[in-house]
């Protein structure tokens, strides 16, 4: 292994779009890739100086929408355009429980913010999951069809960042590799 001195390192984070109430435009969206989830808690981070961080801290509500590769133009619109309304009529959505739900998302999680903490120039939001919505074709017999869940991942550093995609044929069941090793 070699030391890699870089200001940023993205080692595979799912990209999602946050939908939130916005005091100026009614509702808005932004792209994000900084999150983790434990049970009914989700934590995500944003730059402290962003409109999104300010609005979510104020309204204490948002939706986290996990998108597929078919939505890359929407993801880039949400992420590249700053300080302006981005939730336009060409983006399929509904307003539910006072947050935008992107109707072409693979998965949407409605969140209520429980804690807002700033560290350096980043704001971390700890949220409680109020509702999970999953695209119909990703549920079978009350289970998530893992092989068909294909979010986009963000990988790279400050010099080059790119999208990565899951391959359904590379799916494996949890625990199967250890069982296979024990058989040998």
């Amino acid at each position: 292994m070699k030391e890699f001195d870089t200001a940023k390192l993205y080692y595979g984070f799912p990209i999602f779009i946050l939908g939130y109430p916005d005091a100026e435009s009614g509702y808005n969206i932004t792209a994000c890739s900084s999150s983790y989830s434990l049970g009914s808690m989700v934590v995500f981070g944003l730059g402290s100086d962003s409109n999104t961080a300010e609005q979510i801290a104020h309204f204490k509500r948002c939706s986290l929408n996990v998108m597929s590769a078919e939505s890359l133009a929407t993801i880039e619109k949400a992420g590249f355009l700053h300080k302006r309304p981005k939730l336009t009529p060409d983006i399929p959505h509904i307003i539910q429980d006072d947050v935008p739900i992107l109707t072409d998302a693979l998965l949407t999680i409605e969140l209520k913010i429980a804690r807002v903490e700033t560290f350096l120039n980043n704001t971390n939001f700890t949220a409680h999951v109020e509702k999970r919505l999953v695209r119909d074709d990703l549920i079978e017999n009350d289970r998530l069809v893992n092989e068909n869940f294909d979010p986009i991942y963000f990988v790279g550093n400050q010099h080059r960042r790119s999208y990565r995609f899951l391959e359904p044929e590379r799916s494996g069941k949890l625990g199967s590799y250890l069982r296979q090793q024990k058989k040998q």
Side-chain angles (χ1 to χ4, degrees):
M1 304 231 357
K2 177 180 173 182
E3 184 175 344
F4 185 48
D5 186 23
T6 182
K8 296 179 182 180
L9 182 60
Y10 301 94
Y11 49 90
F13 300 96
I15 299 170
F16 53 90
I17 295 178
L18 293 169
Y20 56 93
D22 188 305
E24 297 218 6
S25 61
Y27 297 97
N28 213 340
I29 57 174
T30 197
C32 187
S33 66
S34 301
S35 73
Y36 72 89
S37 175
L38 292 170
S40 65
M41 177 191 75
V42 173
V43 177
F44 63 92
L46 296 164
S48 297
D49 59 349
S50 69
N51 177 61
T52 305
E54 180 182 317
Q55 299 300 318
I56 292 175
H58 174 74
F59 287 102
K60 306 269 194 248
R61 299 192 55 68
C62 66
S63 64
L64 187 154
N65 301 272
V66 178
M67 312 302 287
S68 68
E70 290 76 32
S71 299
L72 277 167
T74 300
I75 290 168
E76 290 190 345
K77 179 179 182 179
F80 292 166
L81 305 179
H82 300 287
K83 308 254 188 223
R84 65 180 98 171
K86 298 173 273 186
L87 187 61
T88 54
D90 63 313
I91 297 174
H93 69 281
I94 59 171
I95 305 302
Q96 180 173 296
D97 301 321
D98 203 33
V99 293
I101 305 296
L102 302 188
T103 56
D104 57 353
L106 298 168
L107 160 71
T108 297
I109 305 172
E110 288 185 33
L111 300 172
K112 182 174 184 179
I113 306 303
R115 186 186 305 179
V116 179
E117 296 176 291
T118 300
F119 180 74
L120 299 176
N121 193 31
N122 299 298
T123 300
N124 297 296
F125 296 88
T126 303
H128 174 74
V129 174
E130 292 195 315
K131 193 182 295 180
R132 294 177 181 94
L133 306 167
V134 179
R135 202 170 70 188
D136 290 347
D137 65 317
L138 294 174
I139 300 174
E140 188 175 284
N141 299 322
D142 292 328
R143 294 179 188 258
L144 186 66
V145 182
N146 299 342
E147 300 79 25
N148 295 341
F149 190 75
D150 61 343
I152 307 154
Y153 286 83
F154 199 45
V155 178
N157 66 354
Q158 83 255 24
H159 299 296
R160 182 173 170 252
R161 290 173 276 174
S162 59
Y163 302 116
R164 295 280 304 183
F165 307 93
L166 293 177
E167 301 172 38
E169 60 275 2
R170 298 249 357 226
S171 293
K173 289 187 178 179
L174 190 65
S176 63
Y177 296 94
L178 185 58
R179 282 191 296 278
Q180 183 179 18
Q181 184 183 33
K182 285 180 180 181
K183 288 180 183 179
Q184 296 174 357

